[in-house]
C-alpha cells in the first residue's frame, strides 16, 4: 500500500509505472456481518425453496395421473378419474374463454382509467384515484363474486339476450336451444354463463392492469410531451404521439399480468358459473368451465388418484400462469419504465 | 473626494430603491395587464357538454318512453351515452377543426371510462354494505356462532363469531410466518445481493401470479393428506402464507430500493458494519413503507377464499384451537352462507361480506395513513422527536466542549 503510493507520487517513478488500475477493494466482513448475510441469504433461499416446493410437489403428485392418462389428458373433456377417463380439454378451454372475456372487458377499462389518472385528473384528485384503484385490487374476490352472482346476474341476462339475438350469427355469441322470436322463452339459458364469470374476473383484473399502465404512462418523458405540445398537438394528439407509444410495453405487460390473474381466479368464478365438463364455446350460454372451479368443486373426492388428477390439472394451470406472468414481467422490465428493472 | 462621498450615497439609495422596488412594483405591474389564463378549459366547453347531455337524455326518454318498445335501464344508459357522444361531436364540430374534435371526444371517452371503473367499485362496496345491513344491526351477529342456529332461523339468532375468531387467528399465524421471512428475503434481494438474487427475484415475481387455488391444493395435498395434519386453521394459515409471501416480498423490495443510496454510504463511511447499516439506517428509513406493504399483504390475505376452502374445512361451531379441527374464516363463511337458498342465510352471508369488507377497508386506510410518505419523509411527531434528540445531542456536545476550552485559553497567554 505505502510502496505503491510513494511510487505513484514520485515524479521519477511515473514513466515506468504501469497504467492506473482500479485499486483492489478487499472487504473482510466482521462476524456479525457474516451472520447477518447468512441469515438473509437463508431467508432468500427458504422462500425459493417454498416456491419450488409448490411446483415440485404438484409435479410429483400429479405425475401419477399424467402417467395414466398420457396425452389424452389434453384431449379428453370428461372428468371421471375413477373410471380413468379424465382430461382438461373442456376446463382449459373454459379457463381461456373466461380469461379472454375478462381481458376484453378489462383492458379498455384499464387503459381508460390509467390515462384518466395520469393525463386528465387534477393533481389532488390523482392521489385519491390511485388509492381507490389500489383499494379495488384489495377487495376480496368473494365480494366480487357476491356482486356478480346476486346483482349483475339480472342485468347480464338482458345484455346476453340482446347480444344473442342480434350478434348470434357470430359463433361465440350463439346460444343453442333458444328462439329469439319467442317472447315467453325461458331466460335460464343465459344465466351463469362464461360472460358473467368474465365480467366478475374483469373487475379483479382491471386494477392490476391499470396500475401497471398508469405507472408507465406517468413516466413518459416531459421533454417529449412538451415538444408535442409545442408543435401544436392537442392533448389527445400528444397522448397518441408520446404517451401511448412510450407506454406500449407497460400496456402489454399490464394486460399479461391481468391475464395471469384472470386465469387463476377461483372463487369469483365458482360463485358465478355452473360447471360443465364439455367444451362450451358459446360464451352467452349457461354452463361454463374452468380449471380452478374444477379443483374447488372436486377436491373433496376421497380417492388419492382423484387428488392426483386434480394435481395434474392444477399443475397445468400453474404452468400456464407462470409462463404468462414471466412474459409479462419481462415485457414490463424491458419497457423503458425501469420501474421494475434493476436500477 | 466627492466621488468617494457620492458613491456610498448612491449605494445607499440603490439599496433603498431595491428594497422599495421589490415589494410594490410587482403588484402594480400585474395591475396594468391582466394575468393570462393558461388553463385549457374554455367557457364554451361546459356549454357543449351540458347541452349535449340534455339532448341525449331527451333522445333516450323519447326513444324508451314514446317511440320504440325498448326497455331496460342498461339499454337506456347505453343509448343515452351514444346519443350524448353524437350530440357532443356535432356541437364541437360547429366551431372547432378536426383534431380538436378528436381531442374532445377522446377526453370524454377517457373520462367516462375512468368514472365507469370508479362507479363499479363504489357499487360493489356500497351494495355489500346495503345488503349486509339486514344482518349487521343484530348484536348477536358478532357475538354468537352458528352451532345452535339452523338455516330457517331468523337473523336474531346465530352469528359469525366463529368466523371472525378464525380469521383473526389465521391472519396472526400467517403474519407470524410471512413478516419475518418476507422482510428477510426483501433485505436479501435489495441489500445483500448474491449470485442468486436475480433468480430469487424472478421466482418471487412469478409467484405473485400463483393461482390461489393451486396454493390451497398444495397445502391440502402436502399438509392435510401427506403429513396427515387434518383440515385446520393452521393448514389454512400456511396456504394464506404461501399467497401473501410474494406480495409482501415484492412490495418490501420496492420500498427498500427507494431508500437513498447516500444514506447507506454515509452510514458505511462512519464505520458502521453492513448489519448495523441495515438495522439502524435502512430499515428505520423504510419503516412506513414496510408497514404498508405488510398491511396490504394482510388485506389481500384476509380475503383469500379458495385456499381456505380446501384447507380449513367447515364448521358451524366456535373452534379456538387453530391446530386441531376445522376452523372457518370470514370469506369462507361468506361463501358457505350464500350457497344456501334460504334468504336469512344469504343475508348472513352479506353481513359476513360487509364485515370482511370493513376489515379490508380499515386495513387499507391504516396502510395509507402510515405509508403515505416516501422513504425518509417524517411525520410531524417523528420530526419533533428527531429535533428533540438533536437538541439533546447539541447540549451534550456543548457541555463537553466547554471544559475543553479552558485549557486552550489558559495555554495562550
Amino acid at each position: 500500500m505505502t510502496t505503491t503510493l510513494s511510487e505513484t507520487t514520485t515524479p521519477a517513478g511515473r514513466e515506468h509505472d504501469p497504467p492506473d488500475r482500479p485499486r483492489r477493494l478487499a472487504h473482510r466482513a466482521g462476524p456479525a456481518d457474516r451472520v447477518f448475510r447468512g441469515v438473509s441469504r437463508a431467508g432468500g433461499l427458504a422462500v425459493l425453496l417454498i416456491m419450488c416446493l409448490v411446483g415440485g410437489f404438484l409435479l410429483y403428485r400429479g405425475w401419477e395421473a399424467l402417467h395414466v392418462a398420457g396425452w389424452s389428458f389434453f384431449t379428453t373433456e370428461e372428468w371421471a378419474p375413477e373410471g380413468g377417463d379424465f382430461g382438461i380439454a373442456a376446463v382449459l378451454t373454459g379457463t381461456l374463454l373466461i380469461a379472454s372475456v375478462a381481458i376484453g372487458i378489462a383492458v379498455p377499462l384499464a387503459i381508460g382509467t390509467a390515462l384518466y389518472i395520469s393525463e386528465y385528473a387534477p393533481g389532488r384528485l390523482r392521489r385519491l384515484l390511485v388509492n381507490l384503484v389500489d383499494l379495488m385490487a384489495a377487495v376480496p374476490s368473494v365480494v366480487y363474486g357476491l356482486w356478480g352472482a346476486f346483482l349483475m346476474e339480472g342485468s347480464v341476462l338482458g345484455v346476453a339476450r340482446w347480444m344473442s339475438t342480434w350478434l348470434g350469427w357470430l359463433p361465440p355469441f350463439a346460444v343453442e336451444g333458444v328462439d329469439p322470436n319467442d317472447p315467453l322463452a325461458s331466460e335460464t339459458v343465459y344465466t351463469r354463463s362464461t360472460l358473467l364469470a368474465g365480467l366478475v374476473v374483469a373487475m379483479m383484473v382491471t386494477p392490476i392492469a391499470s396500475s401497471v399502465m398508469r405507472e408507465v404512462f406517468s413516466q413518459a418523458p416531459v421533454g417529449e410531451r412538451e415538444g408535442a405540445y409545442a408543435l401544436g398537438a392537442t392533448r389527445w394528439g400528444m397522448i397518441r404521439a408520446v404517451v401511448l407509444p412510450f407506454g406500449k410495453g407497460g400496456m402489454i405487460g399490464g394486460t399479461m399480468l391481468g391475464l395471469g390473474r384472470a386465469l387463476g381466479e377461483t372463487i369469483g368464478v365458482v360463485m358465478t358459473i355452473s360447471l360443465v365438463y364439455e367444451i362450451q364455446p358459446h360464451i352467452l350460454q349457461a354452463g361454463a368451465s374452468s380449471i380452478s372451479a374444477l379443483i374447488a368443486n372436486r377436491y373433496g373426492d376421497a380417492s388419492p388418484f382423484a387428488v392426483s388428477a386434480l394435481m395434474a390439472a392444477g399443475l397445468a394451470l400453474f404452468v400456464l400462469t407462470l409462463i404468462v406472468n414471466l412474459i409479462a414481467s419481462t415485457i414490463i422490465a424491458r419497457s423503458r419504465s425501469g420501474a421494475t428493472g434493476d436500477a | 473626494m466627492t466621488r468617494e462621498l457620492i458613491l456610498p450615497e448612491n449605494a445607499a439609495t440603490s439599496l433603498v430603491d431595491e428594497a422599495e422596488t421589490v415589494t410594490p412594483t410587482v403588484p402594480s405591474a400585474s395591475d396594468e395587464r391582466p394575468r393570462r389564463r393558461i388553463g385549457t378549459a374554455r367557457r364554451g366547453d361546459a356549454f357543449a357538454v351540458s347541452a349535449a347531455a340534455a339532448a341525449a337524455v331527451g333522445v333516450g326518454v323519447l326513444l324508451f318512453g314514446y317511440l320504440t318498445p325498448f326497455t331496460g335501464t342498461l339499454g337506456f344508459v347505453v343509448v343515452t351515452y351514444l346519443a350524448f357522444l353524437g350530440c357532443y361531436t356535432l356541437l364541437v364540430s360547429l366551431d372547432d377543426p378536426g383534431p380538436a374534435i378528436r381531442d374532445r371526444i377522446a377526453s370524454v371517452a377517457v373520462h367516462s371510462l375512468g368514472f365507469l371503473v370508479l362507479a363499479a367499485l363504489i357499487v360493489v362496496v356500497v351494495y355489500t354494505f346495503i345488503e349486509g345491513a339486514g344482518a349487521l344491526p343484530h348484536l348477536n351477529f358478532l357475538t354468537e356462532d352458528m352451532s345452535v342456529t339452523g338455516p330457517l332461523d331468523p337473523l336474531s339468532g346465530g352469528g359469525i363469531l366463529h368466523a371472525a375468531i378464525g380469521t383473526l387467528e389465521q391472519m396472526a399465524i400467517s403474519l407470524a410466518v410471512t413478516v419475518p421471512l418476507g422482510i428477510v428475503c426483501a433485505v436479501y434481494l435489495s441489500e445483500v445481493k448474491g449470485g442468486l438474487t436475480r433468480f430469487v427475484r424472478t421466482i418471487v415475481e412469478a409467484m405473485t401470479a400463483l393461482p390461489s387455488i393451486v396454493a390451497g391444493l398444495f397445502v391440502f395435498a402436502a399438509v392435510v393428506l401427506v403429513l396427515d395434519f387434518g383440515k385446520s386453521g393452521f393448514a389454512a394459515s400456511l396456504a394464506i402464507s404461501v399467497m401473501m409471501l410474494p406480495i409482501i416480498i415484492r412490495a418490501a423490495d420496492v420500498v427498500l430500493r427507494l431508500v437513498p443510496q447516500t444514506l447507506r454510504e454515509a452510514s458505511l463511511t462512519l464505520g458502521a458494519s453492513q448489519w448495523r447499516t441495515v438495522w439502524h439506517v435502512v430499515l428505520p428509513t423504510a419503516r412506513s413503507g414496510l408497514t404498508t406493504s405488510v398491511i396490504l399483504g394482510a388485506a389481500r390475505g384476509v380475503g383469500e377464499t379458495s385456499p381456505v376452502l380446501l384447507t380449513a374445512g367447515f364448521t358451524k361451531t366456535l373452534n379456538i384451537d387453530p391446530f386441531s379441527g376445522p376452523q372457518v374464516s370470514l370469506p369462507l363463511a361468506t361463501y358457505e352462507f350464500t350457497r344456501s337458498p334460504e334468504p336469512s342465510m344469504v343475508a348472513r352471508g352479506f353481513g359476513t361480506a360487509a364485515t370482511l369488507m370493513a376489515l379490508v377497508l380499515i386495513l387499507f386506510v391504516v396502510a395509507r395513513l402510515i405509508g403515505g410518505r416516501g422513504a425518509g419523509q417524517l411525520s410531524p411527531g417523528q420530526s419533533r422527536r428527531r429535533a428533540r434528540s438533536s437538541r439533546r445531542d447539541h447540549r451534550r456536545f456543548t457541555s463537553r466542549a466547554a471544559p475543553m476550552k479552558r485549557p486552550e485559553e489558559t495555554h495562550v497567554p
Side-chain angles (χ1 to χ4, degrees):
Chain A
M1 191 74 180
T2 47
T3 49
T4 48
L5 259 179
S6 62
E7 266 177 14
T8 45
T9 43
T10 47
R14 251 180 215 164
E15 282 92 39
H16 55 83
D17 208 35
D20 270 354
R21 266 176 309 170
R23 202 150 59 94
R24 212 152 51 84
L25 293 170
H27 173 244
R28 227 182 306 125
D33 258 8
R34 253 175 283 158
V35 169
F36 161 69
R37 287 189 182 195
V39 166
S40 62
R41 197 164 293 145
L45 288 180
V47 170
L48 191 65
L49 188 73
I50 292 172
M51 300 306 171
C52 293
L53 203 63
V54 175
F57 193 80
L58 282 178
L59 185 64
Y60 168 69
R61 287 298 311 274
W63 190 252
E64 188 190 348
L66 276 179
H67 192 70
V68 169
W71 286 108
S72 71
F73 183 69
F74 296 98
T75 53
T76 313
E77 295 178 29
E78 278 299 308
W79 190 267
E82 288 79 9
D85 187 23
F86 62 97
I88 55 167
V91 282
L92 187 62
T93 320
T95 306
L96 293 175
L97 272 178
I98 291 176
S100 29
V101 170
I103 286 295
I105 298 172
V107 164
L109 286 179
I111 294 179
T113 316
L115 274 182
Y116 177 66
I117 293 177
S118 80
E119 307 299 322
Y120 287 91
R124 276 193 66 80
L125 198 58
R126 191 171 295 169
R127 257 196 77 172
L128 178 71
L129 289 173
V130 170
N131 279 339
L132 281 178
V133 170
D134 286 349
L135 171 66
M136 200 173 164
V139 170
S141 48
V142 70
V143 173
Y144 283 124
L146 286 182
W147 172 79
F150 287 88
L151 183 67
M152 286 314 283
E153 194 163 17
S155 322
V156 165
L157 217 64
V159 177
R161 198 183 51 205
W162 187 86
M163 282 172 78
S164 77
T165 310
W166 297 102
L167 300 170
W169 48 274
L170 281 171
F173 298 128
V175 174
E176 283 169 355
V178 65
D179 176 17
N181 296 321
D182 178 8
L184 297 175
S186 161
E187 292 195 317
T188 47
V189 288
Y190 301 114
T191 55
R192 302 181 77 79
S193 60
T194 305
L195 179 69
L196 184 59
L199 190 66
V200 169
V201 175
M203 287 296 288
M204 309 174 198
V205 168
T206 306
I208 296 172
S210 172
S211 61
V212 172
M213 293 180 191
R214 172 183 54 78
E215 228 160 70
V216 179
F217 287 159
S218 61
Q219 281 168 350
V222 180
E224 292 179 27
R225 283 164 187 267
E226 287 176 355
Y229 281 138
L231 290 171
T234 56
R235 191 185 329 216
W236 175 244
M238 187 279 288
I239 291 173
R240 273 191 58 189
V242 178
V243 177
L244 291 184
F246 183 86
K248 206 198 299 168
M251 281 160 72
I252 299 172
T255 306
M256 299 281 283
L257 210 59
L259 182 64
R261 175 81 196 269
L263 289 171
E265 180 48 44
T266 310
I267 212 73
V269 175
V270 173
M271 289 171 83
T272 46
I273 65 169
S274 35
L275 191 62
V276 292
Y277 298 104
E278 54 178 300
I279 292 179
Q280 170 67 280
H282 309 304
I283 63 170
L284 302 176
Q285 192 150 10
S289 45
S290 105
I291 296 183
S292 46
L294 166 80
I295 298 174
N297 275 345
R298 301 295 290 271
Y299 76 97
D301 292 4
S303 89
F305 185 72
V307 173
S308 169
L310 286 178
M311 284 279 183
L315 182 69
L317 182 63
F318 179 52
V319 170
L320 195 63
T321 52
L322 201 66
I323 293 170
V324 167
N325 211 44
L326 281 180
I327 295 174
S329 57
T330 315
I331 292 175
I332 295 174
R334 276 207 192 152
S335 71
R336 280 201 274 164
S337 72
T340 45
D342 285 356
Chain B
M1 277 299 276
T2 49
R3 272 188 180 176
E4 279 177 317
L5 270 173
I6 289 164
L7 261 176
E9 266 184 23
N10 270 349
T13 49
S14 71
L15 268 178
V16 171
D17 273 346
E18 266 177 23
E20 279 174 356
T21 48
V22 170
T23 37
T25 48
V26 172
S28 72
S30 71
D31 280 343
E32 289 166 12
R33 198 180 293 170
R35 239 183 116 95
R36 210 149 66 91
R37 278 176 55 239
I38 53 169
T40 50
R42 296 172 304 180
R43 202 181 298 150
D45 297 342
F47 285 144
V49 170
S50 45
V57 172
V59 168
V61 168
L62 208 59
L63 279 181
F64 276 72
Y66 299 98
L67 298 183
T68 57
F70 293 167
T71 50
T73 327
L74 199 65
F76 176 74
V77 171
V78 171
V79 167
T80 310
Y81 182 70
L82 291 179
F84 169 73
L85 276 188
C87 294
Y88 187 65
T89 314
L90 187 71
L91 283 178
V92 172
S93 68
L94 288 179
D95 49 11
D96 275 323
I101 301 175
R102 282 198 290 279
D103 178 52
R104 303 281 166 212
I105 295 171
S107 161
V108 165
V110 167
H111 275 83
S112 34
L113 281 176
F115 281 114
L116 182 62
V117 170
L118 278 188
L121 170 68
I122 291 168
V123 165
V124 168
V125 174
V126 171
Y127 174 71
T128 313
F129 280 109
I130 288 178
E131 289 288 315
L136 282 179
H138 299 279
L139 260 184
N140 55 296
F141 190 64
L142 290 174
T143 55
E144 288 179 16
D145 62 13
M146 293 295 289
S147 50
V148 292
T149 315
L152 290 172
D153 287 341
L155 287 170
S156 52
I160 53 163
L161 180 69
H162 56 316
I165 298 280
T167 286
L168 290 182
E169 288 187 356
Q170 288 169 19
M171 284 318 293
I173 296 176
S174 316
L175 284 175
V177 173
T178 49
V179 169
L181 198 54
I183 289 185
V184 164
C185 184
V187 165
Y188 170 69
L189 289 181
S190 67
E191 301 295 324
V192 177
K193 293 190 182 111
L196 274 176
T197 312
R198 188 174 281 268
F199 183 57
V200 174
R201 185 173 282 145
T202 313
I203 293 289
V204 167
E205 276 187 6
M207 292 312 272
T208 46
L210 176 73
S212 51
I213 191 85
V214 173
L217 192 61
F218 163 68
V219 173
F220 174 68
V223 178
V224 177
L225 294 184
V226 173
L227 297 183
D228 206 17
F229 208 81
K231 287 186 180 177
S232 62
F234 181 67
S237 18
L238 286 185
I240 296 174
S241 304
V242 172
M243 289 308 298
M244 272 167 61
L245 201 51
I247 298 174
I248 290 184
I249 293 175
R250 268 190 78 171
D253 182 32
V254 169
V255 168
L256 285 180
R257 277 197 279 170
L258 284 180
V259 173
Q261 193 63 28
T262 46
L263 286 183
R264 289 193 190 98
E265 284 167 4
S267 164
L268 291 173
T269 315
L270 288 172
S273 63
Q274 189 183 18
W275 147 247
R276 287 194 167 272
T277 305
V278 169
W279 188 250
H280 289 294
V281 176
V282 176
L283 289 182
T285 310
R287 186 188 289 149
S288 76
L290 289 176
T291 319
T292 306
S293 59
V294 167
I295 295 177
L296 287 184
R300 284 288 299 279
V302 155
E304 287 289 357
T305 316
S306 35
V308 183
L309 175 71
L310 265 63
T311 48
F314 186 73
T315 173
K316 294 167 88 178
T317 53
L318 178 63
N319 177 12
I320 299 182
D321 183 9
F323 293 98
S324 73
Q327 189 185 42
V328 80
S329 65
L330 285 175
L332 185 58
T334 307
Y335 176 66
E336 296 287 348
F337 278 140
T338 50
R339 280 172 63 172
S340 158
E342 296 300 328
S344 67
M345 288 305 257
V346 173
R348 286 195 184 97
F350 273 103
T352 320
T355 315
L356 179 65
M357 197 63 232
L359 195 60
V360 170
L361 275 177
I362 291 170
L363 282 176
F364 195 81
V365 169
V366 167
R368 283 303 169 215
L369 285 184
I370 294 176
R373 283 167 243 102
Q377 287 177 319
L378 303 177
S379 69
Q382 279 174 320
S383 47
R384 267 200 301 279
R385 247 168 286 144
R386 300 272 164 113
R388 220 178 298 140
S389 81
S390 156
R391 271 201 297 278
R392 212 165 39 233
D393 284 345
H394 179 68
R395 270 201 301 278
R396 195 157 52 88
F397 289 158
T398 44
S399 68
R400 282 217 185 153
M404 290 282 287
K405 269 186 180 171
R406 223 163 278 147
E408 279 180 347
E409 280 170 1
T410 49
H411 188 70
V412 171

